[in-house]
């Protein structure tokens, strides 16, 4: 598959989650990805963007934006990097524990990271308190050699 990428920057508000997701799925749709894999990526991506919107910016002093870079790599991998500049995660392994949420009062199920891990091949979380969080989601995609698959 030919290498390609898009980068988008959004203001971290709920209204922007859907347009951001639409932009990325439209980009991947043009790259001839199988529908089931596209749906998996869309689900994982939604969780990562929602987390940056819901959790990163409790403190209004912080630089509030989310950068999302989506790359198709030559070795048939999709790699999406979701970067925020918010409060960061103190204990990453606790945050990634199924059903853990720091906001149980707000109808959070604590399953975001678990969903990301089950729909993607690799989920890497890098976070620095008061500097922000970077999530890298990677998925190997099936080749489409001919126009019939
Ligand atoms: P939920 O979003 O339902 O709380 P998740 O599994 O998606 O559950 O995330 C677990 C926890 O990790 C969150 O409750 C939050 O404390 C922390 N977290 C996740 N993403 C971020 C982020 N981008 N910035 C700061 N904290 C985060
Ligand atoms: Mg979540």
């Amino acid at each position: 598959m030919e290498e390609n990428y898009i980068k988008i920057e959004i203001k971290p508000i709920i209204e922007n989650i859907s347009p951001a997701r639409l932009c990325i799925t439209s980009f991947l749709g043009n790259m001839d990805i199988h529908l089931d894999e596209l749906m998996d990526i869309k689900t994982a991506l939604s969780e990562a963007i929602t987390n940056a919107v819901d959790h990163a910016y409790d403190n209004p002093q912080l630089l509030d934006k989310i950068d999302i870079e989506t790359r198709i790599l030559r070795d048939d991998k999709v790699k999406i990097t979701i970067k925020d500049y918010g409060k960061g995660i103190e204990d990453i392994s606790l945050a990634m524990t199924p059903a853990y949420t720091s906001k149980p009062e707000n109808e959070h199920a604590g399953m975001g990271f678990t969903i990301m891990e089950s729909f993607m091949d690799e989920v890497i979380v890098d976070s620095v308190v008061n500097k922000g969080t970077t999530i890298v989601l990677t998925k190997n995609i099936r080749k489409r050699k001919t126009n019939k698959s």
Side-chain angles (χ1 to χ4, degrees):
M1 202 173 269
E2 182 113 0
E3 236 177 272
N4 194 3
Y5 71 88
I6 54 166
K7 292 184 189 183
I8 59 172
E9 178 183 323
I10 63 169
K11 180 175 171 172
I13 56 173
I14 291 167
E15 291 86 335
N16 289 343
I17 296 174
S18 170
R21 194 177 51 199
L22 212 63
C23 168
I24 292 159
T25 49
S26 151
F27 167 76
L28 292 173
N30 275 343
M31 297 304 293
D32 252 358
I33 288 181
H34 291 265
L35 196 60
D36 60 331
E37 291 173 336
L38 184 59
M39 290 302 128
D40 290 354
I41 293 168
K42 185 177 160 186
T43 304
L45 173 69
S46 296
E47 293 297 332
I49 302 176
T50 303
N51 275 355
V53 170
D54 283 354
H55 301 298
Y57 295 107
D58 298 343
N59 176 353
Q61 308 285 79
L62 297 164
L63 171 64
D64 64 336
K65 62 169 187 158
I66 303 171
D67 286 319
I68 310 166
E69 179 181 309
T70 306
R71 276 187 180 271
I72 310 256
L73 305 177
R74 211 173 317 212
D75 54 352
D76 296 313
K77 274 189 172 71
V78 171
K79 185 176 164 187
I80 307 178
T81 307
I82 301 99
K83 189 172 169 65
D84 69 58
Y85 304 84
K87 68 176 183 190
I89 301 172
E90 250 170 64
D91 185 339
I92 294 173
S93 63
L94 174 65
M96 294 181 82
T97 303
Y100 170 81
T101 179
S102 56
K103 292 189 171 169
E105 69 283 3
N106 294 348
E107 287 183 30
H108 280 82
M111 294 304 287
F113 281 118
T114 308
I115 291 167
M116 287 180 236
E117 287 189 306
S118 64
F119 285 96
M120 302 298 284
D121 290 307
E122 191 177 59
V123 178
I124 297 173
V125 182
D126 184 21
S127 192
V128 178
V129 172
N130 287 323
K131 283 254 186 299
T133 301
T134 302
I135 311 289
V136 184
L137 305 172
T138 309
K139 191 173 184 71
N140 301 308
I141 52 178
R142 306 200 294 285
K143 255 200 179 70
R144 277 193 143 167
K145 285 200 189 86
T146 61
N147 48 7
K148 280 203 173 155
S149 55

